[in-house]
Amino acid sequence: MTILTTQRCFFNMKNLILFVFIFSTQVFSQVTERSFEALVRNDNKKPVIQEVTLTDLISNDSFDGEYFKIVKGKSDEAIRFDAESELTFRAATAYYHLTVARNYFIHKVKSDYVKNLKKIVVRIELTNQFSELGHFANDKLDPQYNNALTIPAGEGLSSRGVKPWGNEIWFRPSKKIHIRDLKTNNLANREFSVLMGSFRNQIHMQSLQRFLAGAVIALTQDGAPSPLSTENLIRTVGSSIIMEVGYQFLDPITKLFSRKWYWLDTAVVPEIIYHEYSHVALSDHLVLSHSTAIIEGMADVFAGQIANSPKLAMHIKRYNTYNGKNAERKQDYMIQFEMGEYANTDFVFGMLWEIKKILGEEKGEQFMFELRKKLTTSSNIRVQLIEGILQTCDEVCTVPFLDKLKILKSLNLKGL
Ligand SMILES: [Zn+2]
């Protein structure tokens, strides 16, 4: 009898423990959503501040989710919900659009790689340069602003106390530069849109940041670090077209469009967030070792796709150097495009966007995603990209023979 009672009691305890366990996981899993104000585009694709729901959160009090953890600077701790509002606004906006991008890759192009990706640490307000050995370069070494980048995972350096890290996305703080400080001679004291137009129409052969970097060198004379140094500009937030659309963005804090100031608050620009996440999503084939015209062009294509914005599409159609209607300086292929410093010109972006148009929206999207399998980070445009495009067409196109003819015709027109 006694034994039986004890046994029954034991079973009851077990059931109780099981019950508590199930109950607690249910309570735990209920805390996955929370509303925040974030910057989104409205139906007219204008930037507006709106309440959004963040999903898959695993914390009650910080931006720590199942797939993303948003931290400030070099910290390992997620930003708390009760941190200052400028910070939580950026964290919520980045978290929200990263989730949009992740869902796109899982549900639209069915990426198993993205589905199984480990949680990504996302750093905002980080000025340090990336160091392959040390994770973060020394604080004093040329701090970075107005930019974003995606870094590859690293093994760390236990002898120096550097822990291993996974793929990460870094958003730089924005820093305002007055137009008068830009050494652009004839453009000094004009509105920034004039500078943009000048960049787009006359220069257009280099990345916007490189263009600005050349313009801003004089700033270093007082000993202050140049906000846009000529070094370390290899990885930028996308081609000039993506940046220009990002630049034409409402400042969420001052609620002003900039006229005479340049800055780019990358953590709140949807297209830039999509561009950076696309680098991670495509990294099963396009590893994140360095930037090339192809790797940037591919990330831009998916940023444009996820944004699904007619305004952006029109902008691409008008101004891309490959075949833009209103691009004053349309550009044939040049051997220089193969080099890293031209990674952010929009030639490859315009080229891939045109191929997508030739194949039709649905097919084109699937095509671009399959194309990554034929490419690596060291592929060049003239040989591997073109071969990759034709091979992908054999596998994906509805009528490969005809579609390849159309593609080749377009490429030949551009000197390829
Ligand atoms: Zn990029």
Side-chain angles (χ1 to χ4, degrees):
M1 253 329 253
T2 332
I3 290 165
L4 210 75
T5 322
T6 321
Q7 256 183 357
R8 195 182 294 146
C9 178
F10 176 69
F11 278 121
N12 283 342
M13 271 302 282
K14 207 168 133 191
N15 285 343
L16 183 70
I17 290 167
L18 198 68
F19 173 76
V20 168
F21 176 71
I22 289 167
F23 180 73
S24 65
T25 51
Q26 271 178 349
V27 168
F28 184 67
S29 61
Q30 272 164 7
V31 194
T32 60
E33 295 194 350
R34 203 175 153 126
S35 294
F36 281 92
E37 286 205 320
L39 212 67
V40 295
R41 292 207 186 269
N42 67 10
D43 291 342
N44 299 323
K45 300 297 167 186
K46 291 229 164 67
V48 287
I49 297 175
Q50 198 176 287
E51 197 163 283
V52 297
T53 305
L54 304 189
T55 55
D56 311 305
L57 288 163
I58 57 166
S59 166
N60 271 324
D61 54 17
S62 66
F63 293 92
D64 193 5
E66 204 141 340
Y67 311 110
F68 303 104
K69 178 163 83 169
I70 318 285
V71 304
K72 184 185 177 188
K74 291 185 280 185
S75 171
D76 285 327
E77 303 299 319
I79 293 169
R80 290 180 56 83
F81 294 154
D82 57 9
E84 67 268 35
S85 62
E86 288 193 14
L87 194 60
T88 56
F89 180 77
R90 286 184 174 79
T93 303
Y95 190 103
Y96 175 74
H97 290 290
L98 286 165
T99 307
V100 169
R102 181 178 178 273
N103 286 337
Y104 169 89
F105 280 101
I106 292 175
H107 302 298
K108 197 77 207 272
V109 292
K110 315 270 185 246
S111 168
D112 282 336
Y113 175 69
V114 168
K115 207 174 183 176
N116 297 318
L117 268 178
K118 279 197 286 184
K119 172 147 83 174
I120 294 169
V121 172
V122 178
R123 300 184 183 277
I124 59 178
E125 308 283 298
L126 177 69
T127 55
N128 294 68
Q129 289 192 33
F130 171 58
S131 156
E132 274 167 25
L133 288 177
H135 196 181
F136 309 110
N138 189 292
D139 290 354
K140 290 188 185 122
L141 187 73
D142 198 10
Q144 299 287 301
Y145 303 91
N146 301 324
N147 200 353
L149 81 166
T150 304
I151 63 151
E155 289 167 8
L157 209 63
S158 53
S159 62
R160 296 262 185 98
V162 181
K163 286 180 276 179
W165 67 89
N167 290 336
E168 294 185 356
I169 298 174
W170 294 3
F171 296 103
R172 306 321 199 162
S174 64
K175 182 164 181 164
K176 290 183 182 175
I177 305 162
H178 197 274
I179 198 99
R180 76 171 110 76
D181 294 323
L182 296 168
K183 288 279 173 218
T184 49
N185 304 322
N186 55 338
L187 290 169
N189 266 318
R190 310 276 295 272
E191 289 188 5
F192 203 86
S193 55
V194 178
L195 188 75
M196 276 290 180
S198 157
F199 163 68
R200 191 208 300 131
N201 292 327
Q202 293 160 37
I203 316 285
H204 216 44
M205 289 294 302
Q206 50 191 331
S207 80
L208 174 63
Q209 292 219 334
R210 185 166 286 274
F211 168 66
L212 291 173
V216 89
I217 283 165
L219 273 190
T220 54
Q221 280 172 352
D222 59 1
S226 161
L228 289 160
S229 93
T230 45
E231 287 152 34
N232 241 282
L233 287 170
I234 297 166
R235 285 208 197 82
T236 53
V237 292
S239 70
S240 47
I241 285 180
I242 292 277
M243 285 188 72
E244 192 174 334
V245 168
Y247 170 74
Q248 291 172 346
F249 219 70
L250 186 76
D251 183 330
I253 310 305
T254 61
K255 297 192 172 57
L256 279 173
F257 282 104
S258 132
R259 290 180 161 279
K260 292 186 185 278
W261 295 85
Y262 168 75
W263 78 94
L264 199 58
D265 198 349
T266 53
V268 297
V269 181
E271 291 79 10
I272 291 174
I273 300 168
Y274 303 153
H275 174 95
E276 293 307 327
Y277 188 77
S278 297
H279 276 311
V280 178
L282 300 171
S283 67
D284 52 349
H285 291 271
L286 302 174
V287 295
L288 296 162
S289 56
H290 59 288
S291 263
T292 65
I294 292 175
I295 231 180
E296 295 305 329
M298 287 287 279
D300 275 354
V301 163
F302 282 97
Q305 203 62 57
I306 299 165
N308 190 21
S309 151
K311 191 183 161 191
L312 176 62
M314 198 208 291
H315 213 75
I316 300 165
K317 213 171 122 193
R318 275 192 191 158
Y319 298 123
N320 84 77
T321 35
Y322 181 80
N323 64 357
K325 240 184 174 170
N326 300 14
E328 279 182 25
R329 186 167 168 178
K330 268 179 247 177
Q331 190 64 53
D332 281 0
Y333 169 83
M334 301 196 328
I335 189 82
Q336 285 92 320
F337 290 150
E338 306 288 2
M339 290 183 286
E341 61 199 87
Y342 284 93
N344 292 90
T345 59
D346 52 40
F347 184 83
V348 171
F349 182 24
M351 172 179 161
L352 295 174
W353 200 260
E354 173 65 17
I355 291 173
K356 201 162 70 79
K357 217 178 71 194
I358 290 173
L359 300 177
E361 201 53 41
E362 280 293 309
K363 191 54 85 177
E365 205 168 352
Q366 187 201 351
F367 179 95
M368 289 304 150
F369 190 59
E370 290 302 309
L371 175 60
R372 83 199 189 288
K373 294 182 186 164
K374 310 284 183 207
L375 303 171
T376 70
T377 305
S378 49
S379 297
N380 61 27
I381 303 167
R382 178 137 235 170
V383 182
Q384 284 108 341
L385 177 59
I386 294 177
E387 278 177 9
I389 287 168
L390 298 177
Q391 285 169 12
T392 308
C393 193
D394 278 330
E395 293 166 18
V396 175
C397 290
T398 323
V399 191
F401 178 73
L402 283 180
D403 288 329
K404 281 197 288 186
L405 273 184
K406 285 186 210 159
I407 292 169
L408 281 172
K409 192 181 159 202
S410 165
L411 296 177
N412 287 343
L413 283 172
K414 304 314 294 178
L416 280 159

